[in-house]
Each structure stands twice: as C-alpha cells, then as structure tokens.
Amino acid sequence: MSSATSSSESIPTMATKLETKPTIPASPPPTLEEKTVEQSPKSESALKSFISGGVGGACCVLVGHPLDLVKVRMQTASAGAATSSNSVFGMLSNTLRKEGVRGLYRGVSAPLTAVSPMFAVSFWSYDIGQRMVKSYGQRGLTEEEKSLQSYSLSMKEICMAGAISAIPTTGIMAPTERIKCLLQVQGDLVEKGGKAKYSGMTDCAKQVFKEGGIQSLYKGTVATLARDIPGTVAYFGTYELIKRELTKLQPNNKKGDLSVGAVLTAGGLAGMACWTVGIPADVIKSRFQTAPEGKYSGIVDVYRSLIKEEGYAGLFRGLRPALIRAFPANAACFLGMEVTKNALGFMD
C-alpha cells in the first residue's frame, strides 16, 4: 500500500516537472533562403576585368617581346636558312650585339599600344562569356533562386567562355599582328643589309592602308581566329584548372587566396598550353601577313605551300621560342591581372 501511495505521489510530481519546461513554438516550414547554405558570390565588375586585363597585357608584352621577335623571324625565314645563328639564343645574341636592347624590342610599339586594350578586351569578354554561360546554366530558375544558389562553372563552361573571348579580341589583334610582323621581318632584313620600308608603327599602318585599304590591315583575320579560338580555350581552361588544383594544396582553400608562386605557375603553364595548341595557325598567319601581295590566294594556299616545301614540321616552326617566351610572359600577365583585380576590389 505504501508502495502504491508512493507511486501515486510521484506521478503528479513528474507532471509538474513536465509542465515547467518552456514551450517551444512550432517552426515554420523552411524557406529557400534557409535551405541554401552558400549564397551565390557577387559578380565581379566588368570594368574591373577590363582594367586588370589591360595591366596584365602590358606586363606580358614587356616580358615576352624579345622572344616573340625571334619567333616571327624563325617562322618567316626560308626553309634553307636554318643555321646555328638562327637558333633561339643565337638570334637573341646576334640581335643584341648588332642592334642592342632596342633591337630586341623592335616592333614593340604596335603590340604595346594594342596589347593592353587587346588583353583588356580579352579578359572583359572572358568575364562576359562566363556570365553568358552561367546564365544558360541557370535557365529555368527564378531571380530569387539565382541570387541565392551558388553556381560554380564547370571546366567545359570555362572553356566555352574562353572561346567566346577570342571573337571580339580578334578585332584588335588582327591589324596589330599584321603591323608587328611586318616590322619584325623588316628588322631582320635591315640586319642583313637590306633597306627599311617603314619608319615605324604609324608609318607602317599608313602604307599598308594606302596599299590595300582596311582589308589589307585585316589581312590574316581568319588565321588569327583559327589560332585564338582553340588557343584561348587552352589558355583560360588551363589557368583555371591549375589554379583550382593548386588552391587545394594551400591551407586557406579560397579561390582568391592563391600565393604569388601559384599564380605565376598557373599563368605560365596556361601560356604554354595556348601556344602549343595555336602555333600551327600562327605560322600560317605570320607567313600570310608578311608575304607580298598576290603571293598567296589565301590561308589554304599558305598551308599547301608550307606542307609541300617543309612538311608538317614546318607548322611548328617557332614553337621553341614561343614556349620559352610563353611561361614568363603569361606568368607576368596573370600576376599583373590578379594584383590589379585585388587592388580594384572596391569596384565590385
């Protein structure tokens, strides 16, 4: 009986204890905002991409132009002209000895004047390409869902954005490359005792325009596109891939926290990948742009003539100086771009 009494007395005590617990209000159904853990990062300013690309382009030209000079001279030399002095370092030493440092930068005014805006347009159009690809990937989502959901571009989408960037860039690249190649080949002729036809970049542009109009300035545009579309796919694709892999090896695993060494490595290898893919079209472009009017009917004629005279190995003439130049030049380009982008972070 006492046991039953004790048990009956303990029941209300427990009930009392239960009643003293705070009442937890019913939770409303989770909203989209609560379901989303990581919000979509804010888009970078297109103007910031434009400015940082221009700075990167200037860095690229200043570091890589001497080897670009060697590349063009090797590509436009006749098939039987290969000697020890026509090796990469042989050409560099001969030019330095005969023309000084100024000779190494012959024709630099054209790319320096145009490469900064060209790289500015390239990085800007790459940014636009990324937005276009992202917009396509997010089709069917509401604006609220787009703003709340994190969207990371796949490597395929990055390569597509890179291909898009080549199209507007060619509008600046084609006439610039034409003038640069003519001045560089002229320098080789002057070095061998020939007479200069052009006094500089402006004079070259005026004479080319006078001889054939705007069509002559844009001679080789198709070859430039054939080089730059696959080249930029390799360029931006390699940079982003290596950047992602190197980010995983660093303690602070954030996209914007790469070390200087990592940026230089990714940028340098991206440049080498770009030129490995693009060098055959670049050889054809250089031959076509520097040939006398009427020598070739088009880039297909250049290709056939090149294969007939030199075989398929002729398509890779100038690859060595291009690769030697590509690493330091593009490492400097991406470093300059990333530093400028970080400095202009307030523009986002």
Side-chain angles (χ1 to χ4, degrees), residues 65 69 73 95-96 99-107:
H65 188 78
L69 173 74
R73 289 184 178 180
T95 303
L96 186 61
E99 304 177 56
V101 175
R102 185 177 180 180
L104 292 176
Y105 282 89
R106 185 178 297 279

Side-chain angles (χ1 to χ4, degrees), residues 142-207:
T142 65
E143 289 301 319
E144 184 182 11
E145 289 172 332
K146 289 179 182 180
S147 64
L148 293 173
Q149 288 188 357
S150 178
Y151 188 91
S152 179
L153 295 177
S154 67
M155 288 308 305
K156 180 180 178 181
E157 290 172 325
I158 285 171
C159 290
M160 288 174 64
I164 291 170
S165 73
I167 298 171
T169 307
T170 301
I172 301 174
M173 174 77 82
T176 304
E177 288 275 306
R178 169 97 154 115
I179 294 168
K180 182 201 72 174
C181 290
L182 286 172
L183 289 173
Q184 288 178 334
V185 172
Q186 174 183 270
D188 192 31
L189 293 174
V190 170
E191 189 178 304
K192 295 175 180 177
K195 186 178 180 181
K197 181 179 179 181
Y198 311 110
S199 60
M201 179 189 72
T202 304
D203 182 54
C204 180
K206 286 180 179 177
Q207 289 197 46

Side-chain angles (χ1 to χ4, degrees), residues 103-272:
L104 292 176
Y105 282 89
R106 185 178 297 279
V108 74
S109 54
L112 193 59
T113 300
V115 162
S116 286
M118 182 200 72
F119 269 78
V121 170
S122 178
F123 279 92
W124 169 78
S125 53
Y126 175 57
D127 180 73
I128 297 300
Q130 287 180 307
R131 296 184 190 204
M132 291 171 63
V133 171
K134 181 179 178 180
S135 177
Y136 181 79
Q138 291 182 318
R139 66 191 184 282
L141 299 179
T142 65
E143 289 301 319
E144 184 182 11
E145 289 172 332
K146 289 179 182 180
S147 64
L148 293 173
Q149 288 188 357
S150 178
Y151 188 91
S152 179
L153 295 177
S154 67
M155 288 308 305
K156 180 180 178 181
E157 290 172 325
I158 285 171
C159 290
M160 288 174 64
I164 291 170
S165 73
I167 298 171
T169 307
T170 301
I172 301 174
M173 174 77 82
T176 304
E177 288 275 306
R178 169 97 154 115
I179 294 168
K180 182 201 72 174
C181 290
L182 286 172
L183 289 173
Q184 288 178 334
V185 172
Q186 174 183 270
D188 192 31
L189 293 174
V190 170
E191 189 178 304
K192 295 175 180 177
K195 186 178 180 181
K197 181 179 179 181
Y198 311 110
S199 60
M201 179 189 72
T202 304
D203 182 54
C204 180
K206 286 180 179 177
Q207 289 197 46
V208 169
F209 183 78
K210 186 177 180 180
E211 290 169 3
I214 194 72
Q215 185 177 355
S216 182
L217 275 174
Y218 277 87
K219 183 179 179 180
T221 299
V222 175
T224 304
L225 270 175
R227 178 195 69 179
D228 288 353
I229 290 178
T232 51
V233 167
Y235 191 56
F236 289 112
T238 301
Y239 180 71
E240 294 294 344
L241 177 62
I242 296 174
K243 192 176 175 182
R244 289 180 182 184
E245 294 303 314
L246 291 177
T247 300
K248 296 176 184 178
L249 302 178
Q250 295 186 180
N252 195 352
N253 191 20
K254 291 184 180 179
K255 186 176 180 181
D257 291 336
L258 278 178
S259 66
V260 171
V263 172
L264 291 173
T265 301
L269 292 176
M272 294 180 75

